[in-house]
């Protein structure tokens, strides 16, 4: 349920409404807009007496939200959420006019490998470097990531090239580490329904990049985001990374139709990962073009200086020089949509 306050309602009235909601045993989530404050109410709101709330001074109206998710819904917040990521060289925004480019290898393998990839990416204007230090692999015998030494290498890159770091946490302990080192905490597809991890991410003081589960519906993805939001963190970036279908010509089926669907149901930004979405490097450029054309707020691309020798996901990695070309192409598409690339 959402309580919409009257435009210009004084702070004391907002406070009184928040207190009343909490006294009834519900959680109140205020969003202070430039003109109006809206308050989300979570809990079993079926027993809330709308009439009573509407009589409180300063309340304009109360709306029952039909969808199971509240805080991430468009009904709760009409304006797009712009996630702001402070990085050493300034700030990156995701969800505004500029389309964010996130790039890097699947995993940090060695310090040399990381630098060989980060340097040309920084030169190409990528502001967010993404690589795994903790890898959720299908086989326990596959490379699992360098763990803390991998995070330390990314800290070096961050300082040297001024890029923000995006990296995945796979459980509570690794989330503690990732929160310390990274600028954005990634929750991977396999953990999209790990509700205790989502709640922990919701208590983190960093933006969360939430990937869609391998067979998750849009509502399930938004409910996962709701878990993060319900703990107080609304700095959430959704990510389409392909889903499992009967199609056998690519690793996954990149569901680009989900981008406008997210835009109509939620205020959160959504980016597209065509690397895991296709699993094949020759499909990354065409699907990146399509993702930008369909309205994605960013792209996340796997890049490796020696894809054929990558320790994981080499088949879907493109070269740094190919990333430069991709960025130039999608910038032209972005222009048609009155957007830019950052
Ligand atoms: C990744 O981003 O490297 C990754 C493991 O992706 P996903 O969680 O989408 O499989
Ligand atoms: Mn990968």
């Amino acid at each position: 349920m959402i309580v919409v306050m009257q435009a210009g309602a004084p702070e004391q009235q907002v406070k009184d409404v928040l207190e009343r909601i909490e006294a009834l045993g519900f959680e109140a989530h205020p969003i202070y807009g430039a003109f109006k404050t809206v308050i989300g109410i979570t809990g079993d709101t079926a027993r809330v007496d709308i009439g009573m709330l509407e009589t409180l001074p300063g309340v304009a109206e109360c709306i029952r939200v039909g969808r199971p998710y509240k805080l991430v819904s468009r009904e709760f917040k009409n304006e797009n959420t712009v996630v702001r990521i402070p990085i050493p060289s300034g700030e990156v925004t995701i969800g505004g006019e500029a389309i964010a480019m996130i790039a890097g290898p699947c995993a940090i393998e060695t310090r040399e490998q990381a630098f060989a990839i980060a340097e040309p990416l920084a030169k190409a204007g990528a502001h967010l470097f993404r690589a795994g230090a903790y890898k959720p692999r299908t086989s326990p015998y596959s490379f699992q990531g360098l763990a803390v030494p991998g995070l330390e290498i990314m800290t070096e890159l961050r300082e040297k090239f001024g890029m923000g770091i995006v990296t995945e946490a796979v459980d509570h302990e690794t989330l503690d580490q990732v929160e310390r080192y990274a600028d954005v905490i990634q929750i991977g597809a396999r953990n999209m329904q790990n509700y205790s991890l989502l709640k922990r991410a919701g208590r983190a003081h960093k933006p969360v990049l939430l990937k869609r589960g391998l067979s998750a519906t849009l509502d399930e993805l938004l409910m996962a985001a709701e878990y993060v939001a319900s703990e107080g963190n609304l700095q959430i970036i959704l990510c389409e990374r392909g889903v499992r279908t009967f199609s056998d010509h690519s690793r996954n089926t990149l569901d680009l139709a989900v981008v406008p669907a997210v835009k109509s149901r939620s205020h959160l930004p959504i980016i597209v990962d065509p690397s895991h979405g296709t699993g094949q490097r020759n499909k990354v450029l065409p699907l990146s073009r399509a993702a930008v054309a369909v309205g994605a707020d960013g792209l996340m691309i796997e890049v490796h200086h020696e894809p054929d020798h990558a320790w994981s996901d080499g088949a879907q990695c493109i070269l740094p020089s190919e990333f430069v070309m991709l960025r130039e192409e999608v910038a032209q598409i972005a222009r048609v949509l009155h957007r830019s690339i950052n």
Side-chain angles (χ1 to χ4, degrees):
M1 179 180 292
I2 294 165
V3 178
V4 184
M5 299 298 292
Q6 288 163 1
E11 223 180 291
Q12 189 56 47
Q13 289 184 344
V14 177
K15 232 174 126 225
D16 291 345
V17 175
L18 293 175
E19 275 170 14
R20 179 65 75 96
I21 295 168
E22 276 156 15
L24 291 168
F26 298 104
E27 270 193 52
H29 307 263
I31 289 197
Y32 301 96
F35 303 106
K36 259 193 230 172
T37 297
V38 293
I39 304 166
I41 308 180
T42 54
D44 179 15
T45 56
R47 59 187 179 85
V48 174
D49 177 356
I50 286 203
M52 181 277 293
L53 281 182
E54 278 181 341
T55 59
L56 296 178
V59 172
E61 61 173 332
C62 295
I63 305 163
R64 277 199 198 277
V65 180
R67 306 247 183 225
Y69 40 87
K70 319 276 178 208
L71 306 177
V72 305
S73 72
R74 267 279 174 221
E75 284 114 316
F76 179 52
K77 182 167 174 273
N78 193 39
E79 316 86 68
N80 290 336
T81 287
V82 179
V83 174
R84 299 188 176 280
I85 308 161
I87 62 167
S89 58
E91 182 185 71
V92 180
T93 58
I94 304 186
E97 173 270 333
I99 295 167
M101 298 297 279
I102 307 173
C106 184
I108 298 287
E109 299 163 5
T110 63
R111 191 171 174 280
E112 293 65 39
Q113 169 252 15
F115 273 77
I117 298 165
E119 187 167 13
L121 288 180
K123 276 205 192 111
H127 296 301
L128 292 171
F129 181 84
R130 192 215 72 121
Y134 303 100
K135 298 305 304 176
R137 304 301 300 281
T138 303
S139 164
Y141 309 116
S142 302
F143 174 54
Q144 305 282 309
L146 295 184
V148 173
L151 296 173
E152 282 166 353
I153 292 170
M154 284 190 266
T155 302
E156 267 193 70
L157 299 175
R158 190 177 184 277
E159 278 158 23
K160 175 127 205 246
F161 301 114
M163 290 192 281
I165 299 300
V166 182
T167 195
E168 179 167 354
V170 292
D171 51 27
H172 281 246
E173 295 94 77
T174 57
L175 203 145
D176 292 343
Q177 297 290 356
V178 165
E179 186 179 11
R180 202 163 304 141
Y181 288 90
D183 299 284
V184 178
I185 301 164
Q186 178 177 320
I187 303 289
R190 288 154 194 81
N191 268 319
M192 192 208 81
Q193 287 180 316
N194 180 339
Y195 298 122
S196 95
L197 188 63
L198 295 172
K199 284 197 200 173
R200 170 66 186 85
R203 293 190 294 273
H205 299 284
K206 298 269 172 81
V208 174
L209 172 65
L210 177 62
K211 299 190 88 174
R212 181 181 182 181
L214 275 67
S215 60
T217 63
L218 173 53
D219 274 2
E220 286 164 346
L221 172 63
L222 292 175
M223 287 310 286
E226 186 79 12
Y227 264 94
V228 179
S230 68
E231 294 291 321
N233 190 352
L234 268 159
Q235 294 280 288
I236 304 166
I237 306 147
L238 304 173
C239 179
E240 163 59 29
R241 47 78 73 208
V243 288
R244 284 264 169 94
T245 68
F246 53 83
S247 180
D248 60 1
H249 59 80
S250 65
R251 181 175 177 182
N252 291 298
T253 297
L254 193 65
D255 176 17
L256 291 180
V258 83
V259 174
V262 162
K263 299 266 164 213
S264 76
R265 288 189 201 181
S266 174
H267 51 83
L268 295 177
I270 176 159
I271 67 166
V272 170
D273 168 357
S275 306
H276 293 86
T278 63
Q280 294 156 347
R281 66 180 74 128
N282 64 352
K283 294 202 174 117
V284 171
L285 174 62
L287 271 303
S288 297
R289 294 181 190 127
V292 168
V294 85
D297 296 303
L299 293 174
M300 190 154 89
I301 312 280
E302 284 197 341
V303 178
H304 200 286
H305 67 311
E306 291 174 336
D308 291 334
H309 296 110
W311 295 4
S312 56
D313 284 349
Q316 66 196 34
C317 285
I318 61 169
L319 290 165
S321 57
E322 291 168 330
F323 175 78
V324 173
M325 280 164 46
L326 181 151
R327 194 173 183 278
E328 278 168 15
E329 279 205 22
V330 298
Q332 293 182 50
I333 296 169
R335 221 166 292 134
V336 178
L337 304 166
H338 308 290
R339 299 185 82 173
S340 59
I341 297 289
N342 84 20

